[in-house]
Amino acid sequence: MQNVLDSDSEDELPPGWEEKSTEDGNVYFVNTYTKKTQWTHPHTGCKKVIPKDLPFGWSKTVDETSKTIYVNRETGNKTYVDPRLAFAKEEKKHVHDFRQRFDGSSTAYQVLHGVDLSGKYALITGSNTGIGYETAKSLARHGCNILFANRNMEATDKAIKEIVKETNASEENLKSIYLDLASLESVKQCAQAVETVFSDHLDMLILNAGVFGLPYTETQDKLETTFQVNHLSHMYFALLLERLLKRGSRVVFVSSESHRFANLTNIFTNQNLAMTKDQYSAMMAYNNSKLYNVITAKMLSEKWKAKGICVNSLHPGNMVSTNLSKSWWLYRLAFFLVRPFTKSLQQAAATTVYAATASELEGVTGLYFNNCFYCEESALARDKEIAQAVYDMSLRLIEDISKT
């Protein structure tokens, strides 16, 4: 893998060469001077493939001479050039062979350009506002069926209506379900209810909800709130929904670069992943919860790899202006002051959408993404012994609470 933006010059064809497509998604090259054809790019020597389906909004027909012609249903434009060729990519020799197509300035709309998500099913937590809302709106614009899993159902219904209005998505494809991440019982009931909505399968599970900057509070399960809402309940939710995840399904944990500043001092000595009241720091509780997100994603990626379920984590953006900052006036002030220098919500949602839908990430699992590309996690996140301990302690905690 190369951490550089894809260069168009590498893919430029020499004079006299044309790119053609086959019905089954392969690309071949024709030398118009010699009439020679070949499967490999005449410049790079690589084989290329294209999606088997037409891009969103395109259809195929024939003209009066029975020659294939492609029609853009929105504009009415017609062309003899297969629009799938715009999405041609080099055939992978290894699952992790992919080049960077987007960066920190890219938006979710750009990431999804030409992508058809009709018939796909996604569940998104924390989807009635902020990055989760922008993620849902972007996916809905491209035909995805979405289940909004949130605690505030009134705000969720409003969000769905706004998305329908802005995107012309069918309201039948956008459904809501109650989920209170401060209660493992609610998580369990929600997971059971999900099966009545998406009885067959789930293509995308996007674990986006989170809290930030809270004073020390405990959930009804007697756990520190930031720890349970950001980490434990999402881990439990993913485990409960495993039976709906099939080969090719993607699970996305929305973490943060703040995971690099986590501090696990005394965590294993005390056998307590959550911060106690006497040691509590709102920022450190958040940092630790985001580290647990990355660790959980890596652990589940290993456990589910043989099933073809891909699990990745990501950082959406620095100091993105969302409702996460509403908890304390000082955080609200900090977010307000830096807002001119932060990402927009559309930019912040881009990495989530990329991890959930990008075709080049097929089979890619266990990675951490930032600015629509993979990057190395913190040393704590890469420590296999720590990861196993965090996962095991979390699992025991879930089991103990579930028994009561």
Side-chain angles (χ1 to χ4, degrees), residues 146-381:
I146 300 173
L147 185 56
F148 294 68
N150 302 313
R151 184 169 58 89
N152 188 331
M153 300 309 289
E154 182 179 350
T156 301
D157 291 342
K158 181 181 177 182
I160 290 175
K161 286 181 171 57
E162 289 176 350
I163 289 175
V164 169
K165 183 178 179 181
E166 290 185 39
T167 67
N168 292 321
S170 170
E171 193 164 353
E172 292 182 359
N173 294 342
L174 310 179
K175 303 182 185 301
S176 62
I177 195 166
Y178 181 78
L179 171 63
D180 182 2
L181 292 167
S183 164
L184 290 190
E185 179 60 29
S186 175
V187 172
K188 181 179 179 181
Q189 291 177 3
C190 181
Q192 292 171 342
V194 169
E195 294 192 32
T196 66
V197 182
F198 293 164
S199 58
D200 182 33
H201 72 284
L202 190 56
D203 297 291
M204 293 165 260
L205 174 59
I206 300 174
L207 304 170
N208 167 81
V211 293
F212 172 81
L214 295 181
Y216 184 86
T217 55
E218 292 185 354
T219 67
Q220 65 184 61
D221 295 319
K222 306 302 180 185
L223 296 174
E224 190 277 310
T225 302
T226 302
F227 165 76
Q228 178 167 347
V229 171
N230 290 6
H231 162 59
L232 196 69
S233 288
H234 274 137
M235 174 177 166
Y236 187 35
F237 201 35
L239 290 170
L240 290 172
L241 292 175
E242 178 186 356
R243 53 184 171 268
L244 287 179
L245 302 172
K246 309 299 181 184
R247 182 168 296 277
S249 293
R250 300 188 190 186
V251 180
V252 178
F253 282 82
V254 179
S255 179
S256 169
E257 277 291 279
S258 69
H259 87 274
R260 301 186 188 281
F261 305 102
N263 186 340
L264 300 186
T265 302
N266 296 326
I267 290 292
F268 302 112
T269 301
N270 299 333
Q271 286 292 291
N272 186 3
L273 292 173
M275 301 188 77
T276 58
K277 188 173 183 178
D278 62 324
Q279 67 174 177
Y280 185 75
S281 157
M283 181 58 77
M284 194 54 65
Y286 182 77
N287 295 346
N288 286 2
S289 72
K290 295 292 104 177
L291 172 65
Y292 300 153
N293 287 158
V294 178
I295 286 174
T296 302
K298 291 181 73 69
M299 292 298 295
L300 292 180
S301 74
E302 288 298 321
K303 293 181 179 299
W304 294 346
K305 183 181 291 185
K307 296 181 178 181
I309 302 169
C310 296
V311 190
N312 295 294
S313 60
L314 59 89
H315 167 69
N318 295 322
M319 296 292 277
V320 177
S321 180
T322 73
N323 281 352
L324 268 185
S325 61
K326 68 184 178 183
S327 301
W328 186 32
W329 71 268
L330 187 58
Y331 290 128
R332 293 200 300 271
L333 176 61
F335 275 73
F336 174 78
L337 292 174
V338 303
R339 188 168 184 176
F341 311 102
T342 66
K343 287 184 176 183
S344 69
L345 289 175
Q346 258 295 303
Q347 290 171 324
T351 302
T352 302
V353 168
Y354 176 75
T357 66
S359 59
E360 64 265 33
L361 298 187
E362 184 177 343
V364 173
T365 190
L367 296 186
Y368 173 74
F369 290 85
N370 186 3
N371 291 330
C372 295
F373 204 60
Y374 80 98
C375 64
E376 191 172 60
E377 318 90 328
S378 69
L380 285 176

Side-chain angles (χ1 to χ4, degrees), residues 58-76:
W58 285 86
S59 61
K60 183 173 66 171
T61 184
V62 293
D63 64 11
E64 60 277 4
T65 65
S66 298
K67 188 175 182 180
T68 299
I69 191 169
Y70 302 91
V71 182
N72 186 310
R73 293 194 295 269
E74 183 176 350
T75 65

Side-chain angles (χ1 to χ4, degrees), residues 15-18 29-38 42:
W17 285 86
E18 291 182 353
F29 302 90
V30 180
N31 186 316
T32 58
Y33 299 144
T34 65
K35 306 304 180 183
K36 173 186 176 182
T37 63
Q38 60 188 58

